[in-house]
């Protein structure tokens, strides 16, 4: 699949998830790249500034550092397998939302624009979206794909909701990004969040992860909005 990555003309939002309770997060590169400032939303009017960003050179993954974080999700060392159920949690259209899907294969994703990548991705077919807001899932990018035990299968990086498809990074890309950032790829750091997700309860699991800041909204500030906030400070 080919995914264009245009210049960011205005502020946007995405999703991040914790891999270290000290304040280390994973998101999609197209969410974090090209921003004048990045912040994570902790509450309605409570934000924490991203202090540092590292981009994977050939995958749609970025690592973010903040002062303080949420409970981390546990890492998974095996590959997703065909027909495996998975769950993605985040902020589609900037609002809380979750997806239950199933692995149907693998493909290559090429991103072209303000940066270029060529990476393997896992293909998911949607089973259920809550809430089902139509054909647009923008904003869930950067959120985790996990198995029923909450172990990370990949990062939500693209999709075609009209066809009921989503794409996640391959585990090899995610592990490489974590090692590049100076962390072990075998375990998250800090007391890990325990999850038991099923086709029936995954929306309530998503609500809990957002409330505990295991999963957080990312705001990318650019242009005039960034300059206005800087002047207010």
């Amino acid at each position: 699949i080919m995914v264009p990555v245009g210049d960011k003309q205005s502020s946007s939002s995405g999703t991040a998830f914790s891999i270290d309770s000290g304040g280390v997060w994973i998101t999609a590169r197209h969410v974090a790249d090209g921003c004048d400032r990045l912040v994570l939303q902790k509450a309605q009017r409570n934000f924490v500034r991203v202090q540092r960003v590292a981009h994977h050179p050939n995958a749609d993954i970025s690592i973010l550092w903040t002062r303080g974080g949420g409970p981390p999700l546990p890492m998974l060392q095996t590959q997703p397998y065909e027909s495996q159920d998975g769950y993605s949690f985040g902020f589609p259209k900037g609002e809380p939302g979750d997806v239950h899907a199933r692995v149907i294969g693998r493909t290559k994703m090429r991103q072209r624009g303000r940066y270029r990548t060529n990476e393997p991705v896992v293909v998911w077919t949607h089973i259920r979206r809550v809430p089902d807001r139509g054909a647009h899932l923008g904003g869930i990018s950067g959120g985790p794909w996990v198995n029923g035990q909450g172990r990370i299968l990949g990062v939500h990086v693209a999709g075609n909701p009209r066809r009921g498809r989503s794409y996640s990074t391959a585990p090899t890309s995610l592990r490489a990004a974590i090692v590049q950032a100076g962390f072990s790829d075998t375990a998250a750091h800090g007391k890990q969040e325990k999850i038991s997700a099923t086709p029936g309860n995954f929306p309530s699991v998503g609500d809990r992860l957002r409330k505990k800041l295991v999963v957080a909204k990312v705001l990318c500030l650019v242009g005039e909005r960034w300059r206005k906030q800087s002047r207010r400070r």
Side-chain angles (χ1 to χ4, degrees):
I1 61 171
M2 183 70 73
V3 179
V5 186
D7 293 334
K8 290 198 173 180
Q9 302 296 327
S10 60
S11 300
S12 59
S13 67
T15 302
F17 60 93
S18 174
I19 61 166
D20 187 311
S21 59
V24 186
W25 311 77
I26 298 287
T27 190
R29 179 173 175 177
H30 74 266
V31 170
D33 184 87
C35 305
D36 292 318
R37 171 172 284 190
L38 283 165
V39 297
L40 299 186
Q41 185 170 359
K42 298 176 67 175
Q44 182 65 28
R45 295 191 178 183
N46 188 357
F47 303 88
V48 58
R49 180 179 177 180
V50 174
Q51 305 290 322
R52 178 185 165 201
V53 182
H55 304 306
H56 190 295
N58 195 39
D60 196 359
I61 301 173
S62 290
I63 297 183
L64 314 177
W65 283 262
T66 63
R67 293 177 181 172
L73 290 170
M75 304 298 294
L76 181 67
Q77 292 304 298
T78 60
Q79 296 282 339
Y81 55 86
E82 195 162 331
S83 298
Q84 181 177 14
D85 284 291
Y87 307 90
S88 187
F89 310 105
F91 295 87
K93 293 186 178 180
E95 300 294 333
D98 311 296
V99 181
H100 168 214
R102 191 164 292 146
V103 176
I104 58 171
R106 290 169 174 77
T107 188
K108 292 279 187 178
M109 183 176 77
R110 294 176 174 85
Q111 292 179 303
R112 297 294 183 267
R114 65 179 184 269
Y115 59 83
R116 297 167 65 91
T117 63
N118 183 12
E119 62 175 305
V121 291
V122 177
V123 186
W124 300 81
T125 184
H126 296 174
I127 306 299
R128 183 181 171 208
R129 300 195 296 257
V130 178
D132 192 346
R133 297 190 179 99
H136 181 48
L137 282 177
I140 203 171
S141 289
W145 279 100
V146 303
N147 66 8
Q149 291 73 50
R151 294 189 172 275
I152 303 166
L153 300 172
V155 183
H156 204 144
V157 292
N160 187 339
R162 291 185 183 278
R163 295 183 61 198
R165 298 287 185 270
S166 283
Y167 304 94
S168 68
T169 57
T172 50
S173 300
L174 180 56
R175 289 197 292 267
I178 292 171
V179 170
Q180 173 192 344
F183 291 89
S184 167
D185 68 341
T186 59
H189 297 250
K191 186 177 180 180
Q192 298 174 6
E193 184 68 14
K194 294 183 179 180
I195 295 173
S196 179
T198 68
N201 77 355
F202 75 94
S204 62
V205 170
D207 289 340
R208 177 165 60 88
L209 296 182
R210 284 180 288 265
K211 183 177 181 180
K212 298 182 72 172
L213 286 182
V214 179
V215 174
K217 184 190 291 189
V218 184
L219 298 176
C220 169
L221 306 178
V222 297
E224 185 62 26
R225 181 174 179 184
W226 155 247
R227 288 190 288 271
K228 288 180 179 178
Q229 292 210 3
S230 296
R231 287 195 293 269
R232 286 200 294 268
R233 290 185 176 86

